[in-house]
Amino acid sequence: MSEAGVREHKPRPLNQRVLLVGLAVVAPLVAVLTMNLGRNPHVIGSPLVGRAAPDFSLRPLDGGEPVTLASLRGRPVVINFWATWCVPCFQEHALLVSTARSLAERARFIGVIYEDSEEQVRGFLARQGSAYPSLVDPGSRTAIAFGIFGVPETFFIDAEGRIAAKHVGPLDAQSLEAKLRQAGLAP
Amino acid sequence: MTPRLTAGFALVTTALLLAAPLAIPQQPAGSEPSRVVGPSRGRALAGEVLAARTEEVAGLLRCPVCQGLSVADSPATMAVNMKAQVKELLAQGYDQEQILAYFEHSYGEFVRLEPPLRGVNWLVWLGPVLALAAGGAVVAWTLRSRRRAAAEEPVVPLPGLGPGPDMLPDDPELARHVRRVRELAYGWPDGRPPGSSS
């Protein structure tokens, strides 16, 4: 008596060619995914590190002669792009001020105001204290030249005017010290 | 207005209009763009042409904040400022490639919405074309090999029957019945397919 309706399924042999083609298509995709899934797309690697820092000539908030990068040559310079509406900028402000004071002439600290009103900045600095000039950047031309895509971003420039390091996000004491060393701050 | 006055006026106006594009654009001394991409290579633009070209060139730049949008489309303040700088550079006579190169210097290749044709980027441009061609080749090859395989197989006009030149079951009794059915169903004389030897 035949077993009507019941077919035996022979296991089909593995088609090597299909497997190979499939792997050839999938492997690069998996490679790209594994390399990039962990990365934060907003942290764009800066091509400026190692290059000469963009020149600028910006008016300080409190008035006076425009500050140029050329005038700061000869010692490490820390350029901190910040704004009063930025919470991480607020978090790192005290550290920047105290470090600037303690380093005195060994390094120059400069703040560049990013998309903020001068009034707000004055009020903030009056309340939180300041130890170095903050410069006004109309139209964010200098921010664009430095490749800023958010605040805070801090650039560490060596005595020859080359960008030695960049820090995205609020600074902590360790990073600040390490990057100052990279910019040539003598211990 | 006398004809002479009109002609003179027209001449002067035409001369001024023709001379305007030749005016050497003023760049601030030691400006950052000229340091990065050299002196401006193109014509200084103005008016409607300037506005149109600003949209075009800004459309080729990626907004660093809203990274899915172009600088032309993004509402982010940074994009608005970048677009204003694009307009400024076009008005100063920088050409498209210089402007894109200037932003690329600060932000990296990422800021270009159309990856330039160098190095790994060739893969981005050619990859889809190659994949399509490869897929097409696979389809063609599969069809051809299937057709070939079908041509090589022996034609079995009456499926389900046993092997042998007359395609009859081995059992003689059964074979007799099958031949009778064929005679009735297909009209084959003595149940044998036409053209086959008995």
Side-chain angles (χ1 to χ4, degrees):
Chain A
M1 186 75 186
S2 69
E3 296 147 32
V6 177
R7 292 258 192 101
E8 265 188 50
H9 287 279
K10 266 200 309 213
R12 283 197 295 193
L14 189 64
N15 189 332
Q16 303 272 24
R17 243 181 285 121
V18 172
L19 180 66
L20 242 74
V21 170
L23 280 177
V25 169
V26 169
L29 291 172
V30 173
V32 168
L33 278 175
T34 11
M35 283 197 304
N36 292 314
L37 265 180
R39 289 199 308 133
N40 179 348
H42 284 268
V43 179
I44 307 173
S46 175
L48 286 175
V49 176
R51 288 196 188 150
D55 201 359
F56 55 80
S57 171
L58 299 177
R59 170 179 67 82
L61 184 66
D62 302 324
E65 285 299 305
V67 176
T68 65
L69 186 61
S71 68
L72 302 169
R73 282 250 176 121
R75 73 198 96 185
V77 180
V78 178
I79 303 188
N80 173 251
F81 288 82
W82 69 287
T84 59
W85 44 261
C86 148
V87 174
C89 304
F90 175 78
Q91 289 170 345
E92 65 174 5
H93 185 80
L95 174 66
L96 283 166
V97 168
S98 64
T99 312
R101 287 206 180 109
S102 66
L103 287 180
E105 292 303 304
R106 292 168 58 203
R108 292 294 298 273
F109 280 68
I110 298 284
V112 178
I113 302 160
Y114 175 81
E115 297 177 13
D116 208 344
S117 88
E118 294 187 29
E119 229 180 272
Q120 299 263 44
V121 176
R122 278 199 194 95
F124 179 93
L125 292 175
R127 286 190 305 272
Q128 305 296 332
S130 73
Y132 50 87
S134 271
L135 310 178
V136 179
D137 181 19
S140 295
R141 293 291 185 269
T142 303
I144 291 171
F146 273 84
I148 301 292
F149 55 92
V151 278
E153 285 189 23
T154 312
F155 291 81
F156 296 81
I157 301 171
D158 66 19
E160 282 83 48
R162 238 186 333 267
I163 299 180
K166 174 183 173 182
H167 190 92
V168 174
L171 278 163
D172 55 277
Q174 268 163 317
S175 309
L176 181 55
E177 190 186 331
K179 293 188 176 178
L180 276 166
R181 295 256 176 273
Q182 278 181 282
L185 183 74
Chain B
M1 216 141 118
T2 65
R4 210 180 295 171
L5 208 56
T6 318
F9 187 76
L11 199 65
V12 171
T13 316
T14 313
L16 283 174
L17 282 172
L18 286 174
L22 298 175
I24 298 165
Q26 281 298 316
Q27 288 151 38
S31 72
E32 183 62 14
S34 61
R35 186 183 73 86
V36 174
V37 296
S40 60
R41 286 198 300 238
R43 251 178 349 111
L45 301 178
E48 270 181 40
V49 182
L50 177 62
R53 280 297 286 155
T54 304
E55 289 299 316
E56 276 172 25
V57 178
L60 295 172
L61 289 166
R62 185 192 304 272
C63 171
V65 177
C66 307
Q67 290 174 4
L69 293 175
S70 73
V71 166
D73 298 331
S74 173
T77 322
M78 185 49 126
V80 173
N81 286 327
M82 281 172 75
K83 194 168 168 181
Q85 186 162 27
V86 168
K87 189 171 184 177
E88 207 175 87
L89 293 172
L90 283 168
Q92 287 174 356
Y94 288 93
D95 65 29
Q96 175 169 305
E97 189 47 42
Q98 282 183 303
I99 296 175
L100 295 180
Y102 173 67
F103 286 100
E104 192 180 335
H105 178 88
S106 302
Y107 285 96
E109 200 177 79
F110 180 75
V111 80
R112 288 195 193 230
L113 273 175
E114 286 180 5
L117 289 170
R118 53 180 118 103
V120 187
N121 292 333
W122 277 106
L123 198 64
V124 174
W125 286 98
L126 294 180
V129 179
L130 290 174
L132 192 65
V138 167
V139 170
W141 182 81
T142 309
L143 284 176
R144 205 176 304 136
S145 71
R146 260 204 216 142
R147 215 178 296 137
R148 213 183 301 126
E152 282 165 7
E153 259 177 43
V155 175
V156 182
L158 301 165
L161 296 178
D166 53 2
M167 294 177 294
L168 285 172
D170 291 335
D171 181 48
E173 183 72 21
L174 214 50
R176 207 161 46 80
H177 286 302
V178 170
R179 285 217 308 274
R180 182 66 185 132
V181 168
R182 284 183 193 173
E183 197 178 341
L184 293 169
Y186 303 133
W188 291 350
D190 198 27
R192 297 194 197 278
S196 72
S197 56
S198 58

Coordinates of all heavy atoms in Angstrom, one line a residue, chain B residues 107-157:
Chain B
Y107 N 36.1 70.8 7.3 CA 35.2 69.8 7.8 C 35.5 68.4 7.3 O 35.0 67.4 7.9 CB 33.7 70.1 7.4 CG 33.1 71.2 8.2 CD1 33.1 72.5 7.7 CD2 32.5 71.0 9.4 CE1 32.5 73.6 8.4 CE2 31.9 72.0 10.2 CZ 31.9 73.3 9.7 OH 31.4 74.3 10.4
G108 N 36.3 68.3 6.3 CA 36.6 67.0 5.8 C 35.7 66.6 4.6 O 34.7 67.3 4.3
E109 N 36.0 65.5 3.9 CA 35.3 65.1 2.7 C 33.8 64.9 3.0 O 33.0 65.1 2.1 CB 35.9 63.8 2.3 CG 35.7 63.4 0.9 CD 36.4 62.1 0.5 OE1 35.9 61.1 0.9 OE2 37.5 62.2 -0.1
F110 N 33.5 64.6 4.2 CA 32.1 64.4 4.7 C 31.2 65.5 4.3 O 30.0 65.3 4.1 CB 32.2 64.2 6.2 CG 30.8 63.9 6.8 CD1 30.2 62.6 6.6 CD2 30.2 64.8 7.5 CE1 29.0 62.4 7.2 CE2 28.9 64.6 8.1 CZ 28.4 63.3 8.0
V111 N 31.7 66.7 4.3 CA 30.8 67.9 4.1 C 30.3 68.0 2.6 O 29.4 68.7 2.3 CB 31.5 69.2 4.5 CG1 32.5 69.7 3.4 CG2 30.5 70.3 4.9
R112 N 31.0 67.2 1.7 CA 30.5 67.2 0.3 C 29.4 66.2 0.2 O 29.5 65.1 0.6 CB 31.6 66.8 -0.6 CG 32.7 67.8 -0.8 CD 33.5 67.4 -2.0 NE 34.7 68.2 -2.2 CZ 35.1 68.7 -3.3 NH1 34.3 68.7 -4.4 NH2 36.2 69.4 -3.4
L113 N 28.3 66.6 -0.3 CA 27.2 65.7 -0.5 C 27.4 64.7 -1.6 O 26.9 63.6 -1.6 CB 25.8 66.4 -0.8 CG 25.1 66.8 0.5 CD1 23.9 67.7 0.2 CD2 24.7 65.6 1.3
E114 N 28.2 65.2 -2.6 CA 28.6 64.2 -3.7 C 30.0 63.9 -3.5 O 30.9 64.7 -3.7 CB 28.4 64.9 -5.1 CG 27.0 65.0 -5.5 CD 26.9 65.7 -6.9 OE1 27.9 66.0 -7.5 OE2 25.7 66.0 -7.3
P115 N 30.3 62.7 -3.0 CA 31.7 62.3 -2.7 C 32.6 62.5 -4.0 O 32.2 62.0 -5.0 CB 31.6 60.9 -2.3 CG 30.3 60.4 -2.5 CD 29.4 61.6 -2.8
P116 N 33.7 63.2 -3.9 CA 34.5 63.4 -5.1 C 35.1 62.1 -5.5 O 35.3 61.1 -4.8 CB 35.6 64.3 -4.6 CG 35.6 64.1 -3.1 CD 34.3 63.8 -2.7
L117 N 35.4 62.0 -6.8 CA 35.9 60.8 -7.4 C 37.4 60.5 -7.1 O 38.2 60.8 -7.9 CB 35.7 60.8 -8.9 CG 34.3 60.7 -9.4 CD1 34.2 61.1 -10.8 CD2 33.7 59.4 -9.1
R118 N 37.6 60.1 -5.9 CA 39.0 59.6 -5.6 C 39.0 58.5 -4.6 O 38.2 58.4 -3.7 CB 39.9 60.8 -5.1 CG 39.3 61.6 -3.9 CD 40.3 62.7 -3.5 NE 39.7 64.0 -3.7 CZ 39.3 64.8 -2.7 NH1 39.4 64.3 -1.4 NH2 38.8 65.9 -2.9
G119 N 39.9 57.6 -4.8 CA 40.2 56.5 -3.8 C 38.9 55.6 -3.7 O 38.3 55.1 -4.6
V120 N 38.6 55.4 -2.4 CA 37.5 54.5 -2.1 C 36.2 55.0 -2.7 O 35.2 54.2 -2.9 CB 37.3 54.4 -0.5 CG1 36.3 53.3 -0.2 CG2 38.7 54.0 0.1
N121 N 36.0 56.3 -2.9 CA 34.8 56.8 -3.4 C 34.3 56.3 -4.7 O 33.2 56.3 -5.1 CB 34.8 58.4 -3.4 CG 35.0 59.0 -2.1 OD1 34.5 58.4 -1.1 ND2 35.6 60.1 -2.0
W122 N 35.3 55.8 -5.5 CA 34.9 55.2 -6.8 C 33.9 54.1 -6.5 O 33.0 53.8 -7.3 CB 36.1 54.6 -7.5 CG 36.9 55.6 -8.3 CD1 38.1 56.2 -7.9 CD2 36.5 56.2 -9.5 NE1 38.5 57.1 -8.9 CE2 37.5 57.2 -9.9 CE3 35.4 56.1 -10.4 CZ2 37.5 57.9 -11.0 CZ3 35.4 56.8 -11.5 CH2 36.4 57.7 -11.8
L123 N 34.1 53.4 -5.4 CA 33.2 52.3 -5.1 C 31.7 52.7 -4.9 O 30.8 52.1 -5.3 CB 33.7 51.6 -3.8 CG 33.2 50.2 -3.5 CD1 33.7 49.2 -4.6 CD2 33.6 49.7 -2.1
V124 N 31.6 53.9 -4.3 CA 30.3 54.5 -4.1 C 29.6 54.8 -5.4 O 28.4 54.5 -5.5 CB 30.4 55.8 -3.2 CG1 29.0 56.4 -3.1 CG2 30.9 55.5 -1.8
W125 N 30.3 55.3 -6.3 CA 29.7 55.7 -7.6 C 29.5 54.5 -8.5 O 28.5 54.3 -9.2 CB 30.6 56.7 -8.3 CG 30.6 58.1 -7.8 CD1 31.5 58.6 -6.9 CD2 29.6 59.1 -8.0 NE1 31.1 59.9 -6.6 CE2 30.0 60.2 -7.2 CE3 28.4 59.1 -8.8 CZ2 29.2 61.4 -7.2 CZ3 27.7 60.3 -8.8 CH2 28.1 61.4 -8.0
L126 N 30.5 53.6 -8.6 CA 30.4 52.5 -9.5 C 29.7 51.2 -8.9 O 29.2 50.4 -9.7 CB 31.8 52.1 -10.0 CG 32.6 53.1 -10.8 CD1 33.9 52.6 -11.2 CD2 31.8 53.5 -12.0
G127 N 29.7 51.1 -7.6 CA 29.2 49.9 -6.9 C 27.8 49.5 -7.5 O 27.6 48.4 -7.9
P128 N 26.8 50.5 -7.4 CA 25.5 50.1 -7.9 C 25.5 49.6 -9.4 O 24.8 48.7 -9.7 CB 24.7 51.4 -7.8 CG 25.4 52.2 -6.8 CD 26.8 51.8 -6.9
V129 N 26.3 50.3 -10.2 CA 26.3 49.9 -11.6 C 26.9 48.5 -11.8 O 26.3 47.7 -12.5 CB 27.2 50.9 -12.4 CG1 27.2 50.5 -13.9 CG2 26.6 52.3 -12.3
L130 N 28.0 48.2 -11.0 CA 28.6 46.9 -11.1 C 27.7 45.8 -10.6 O 27.6 44.8 -11.1 CB 29.9 46.9 -10.3 CG 31.1 47.7 -10.9 CD1 32.2 47.8 -9.9 CD2 31.5 47.2 -12.2
A131 N 27.0 46.2 -9.5 CA 26.1 45.2 -8.9 C 25.0 44.9 -9.9 O 24.6 43.7 -10.0 CB 25.5 45.7 -7.6
L132 N 24.4 45.9 -10.6 CA 23.4 45.6 -11.6 C 23.9 44.8 -12.7 O 23.2 43.8 -13.1 CB 22.9 47.0 -12.1 CG 21.6 47.0 -12.9 CD1 20.5 46.5 -12.1 CD2 21.4 48.3 -13.6
A133 N 25.1 45.1 -13.2 CA 25.7 44.3 -14.3 C 25.9 42.9 -13.8 O 25.6 41.9 -14.6 CB 27.0 44.9 -14.7
A134 N 26.4 42.7 -12.6 CA 26.7 41.4 -12.1 C 25.4 40.6 -12.0 O 25.3 39.4 -12.4 CB 27.4 41.4 -10.7
G135 N 24.4 41.2 -11.4 CA 23.1 40.6 -11.3 C 22.5 40.2 -12.7 O 22.0 39.1 -12.8
G136 N 22.6 41.0 -13.6 CA 22.2 40.7 -15.0 C 22.9 39.5 -15.6 O 22.3 38.7 -16.2
A137 N 24.2 39.5 -15.3 CA 25.0 38.4 -15.8 C 24.6 37.1 -15.2 O 24.5 36.1 -15.8 CB 26.5 38.6 -15.5
V138 N 24.3 37.1 -13.9 CA 23.9 35.9 -13.2 C 22.6 35.4 -13.8 O 22.4 34.2 -14.0 CB 23.7 36.2 -11.7 CG1 23.0 35.1 -11.0 CG2 25.1 36.4 -11.0
V139 N 21.6 36.3 -14.0 CA 20.3 36.0 -14.5 C 20.5 35.3 -15.9 O 20.0 34.3 -16.2 CB 19.4 37.2 -14.6 CG1 18.2 36.9 -15.4 CG2 19.0 37.7 -13.3
A140 N 21.3 36.0 -16.8 CA 21.5 35.5 -18.1 C 22.1 34.1 -18.1 O 21.7 33.2 -18.8 CB 22.4 36.5 -18.9
W141 N 23.2 33.9 -17.2 CA 23.9 32.7 -17.2 C 23.0 31.6 -16.7 O 23.0 30.4 -17.2 CB 25.1 32.8 -16.2 CG 25.9 31.6 -16.1 CD1 26.9 31.2 -16.9 CD2 25.9 30.7 -15.0 NE1 27.5 30.0 -16.5 CE2 26.8 29.7 -15.3 CE3 25.1 30.6 -13.9 CZ2 27.0 28.6 -14.4 CZ3 25.3 29.5 -13.0 CH2 26.3 28.5 -13.3
T142 N 22.1 31.9 -15.7 CA 21.2 30.9 -15.1 C 20.2 30.5 -16.2 O 19.9 29.3 -16.3 CB 20.4 31.5 -13.9 OG1 21.4 32.0 -13.0 CG2 19.6 30.4 -13.2
L143 N 19.7 31.4 -16.9 CA 18.7 31.1 -17.9 C 19.3 30.2 -19.0 O 18.7 29.2 -19.4 CB 18.1 32.4 -18.6 CG 17.1 33.2 -17.7 CD1 16.7 34.4 -18.5 CD2 15.9 32.3 -17.5
R144 N 20.5 30.6 -19.4 CA 21.2 29.8 -20.5 C 21.5 28.4 -20.0 O 21.2 27.4 -20.7 CB 22.5 30.5 -20.9 CG 22.9 30.2 -22.3 CD 24.1 30.9 -22.8 NE 23.9 32.3 -22.6 CZ 24.8 33.2 -22.1 NH1 26.0 32.7 -21.7 NH2 24.6 34.5 -22.0
S145 N 22.0 28.2 -18.8 CA 22.3 26.9 -18.3 C 21.0 26.1 -18.2 O 21.0 24.9 -18.4 CB 23.1 27.0 -17.0 OG 22.2 27.4 -16.0
R146 N 20.0 26.7 -17.8 CA 18.7 26.0 -17.6 C 18.2 25.5 -19.0 O 17.7 24.4 -19.1 CB 17.6 26.9 -17.0 CG 17.5 26.6 -15.5 CD 16.2 27.0 -15.0 NE 16.4 27.5 -13.6 CZ 15.8 28.5 -13.1 NH1 14.9 29.1 -13.8 NH2 16.1 28.9 -11.9
R147 N 18.3 26.4 -19.9 CA 17.8 26.0 -21.3 C 18.7 24.9 -21.8 O 18.1 23.9 -22.4 CB 18.0 27.2 -22.2 CG 16.9 27.3 -23.2 CD 17.0 28.5 -24.1 NE 16.8 29.7 -23.4 CZ 17.5 30.8 -23.5 NH1 18.5 30.8 -24.4 NH2 17.3 31.9 -22.8
R148 N 20.0 24.9 -21.6 CA 20.9 23.9 -22.0 C 20.5 22.5 -21.4 O 20.4 21.5 -22.0 CB 22.3 24.2 -21.8 CG 23.3 23.7 -22.8 CD 24.7 24.0 -22.5 NE 25.0 25.4 -22.3 CZ 25.5 25.9 -21.2 NH1 25.9 25.2 -20.2 NH2 25.7 27.2 -21.2
A149 N 20.3 22.6 -20.1 CA 20.0 21.4 -19.3 C 18.7 20.8 -19.9 O 18.5 19.6 -20.0 CB 19.8 21.7 -17.8
A150 N 17.7 21.6 -20.1 CA 16.4 21.2 -20.6 C 16.6 20.5 -22.0 O 16.0 19.5 -22.3 CB 15.4 22.3 -20.7
A151 N 17.5 21.1 -22.9 CA 17.7 20.5 -24.2 C 18.3 19.2 -24.1 O 18.1 18.3 -25.0 CB 18.5 21.5 -25.0
E152 N 19.2 18.9 -23.1 CA 19.9 17.6 -23.0 C 19.0 16.5 -22.5 O 19.3 15.4 -22.7 CB 21.1 17.8 -22.2 CG 22.3 18.5 -22.9 CD 23.3 19.0 -21.9 OE1 23.3 18.6 -20.7 OE2 24.3 19.7 -22.4
E153 N 18.0 16.9 -21.7 CA 17.2 15.8 -21.1 C 16.4 15.1 -22.2 O 15.9 15.7 -23.1 CB 16.2 16.5 -20.2 CG 16.6 16.4 -18.7 CD 15.6 17.1 -17.8 OE1 14.4 16.9 -18.1 OE2 16.0 17.8 -16.9
P154 N 16.3 13.7 -22.0 CA 15.4 13.0 -23.0 C 14.0 13.4 -22.8 O 13.5 13.6 -21.7 CB 15.6 11.5 -22.6 CG 16.1 11.6 -21.1 CD 16.8 12.9 -21.0
V155 N 13.3 13.6 -24.0 CA 11.9 14.0 -23.9 C 11.1 12.8 -23.5 O 11.1 11.7 -24.2 CB 11.5 14.5 -25.3 CG1 10.0 14.8 -25.3 CG2 12.3 15.7 -25.7
V156 N 10.3 13.0 -22.5 CA 9.4 11.9 -22.1 C 8.0 12.3 -22.3 O 7.4 13.1 -21.5 CB 9.6 11.6 -20.6 CG1 8.7 10.4 -20.1 CG2 11.1 11.3 -20.3
P157 N 7.4 11.9 -23.5 CA 6.1 12.4 -23.8 C 5.0 11.8 -22.8 O 4.0 12.5 -22.6 CB 5.8 11.9 -25.2 CG 6.8 10.8 -25.4 CD 8.0 11.1 -24.5

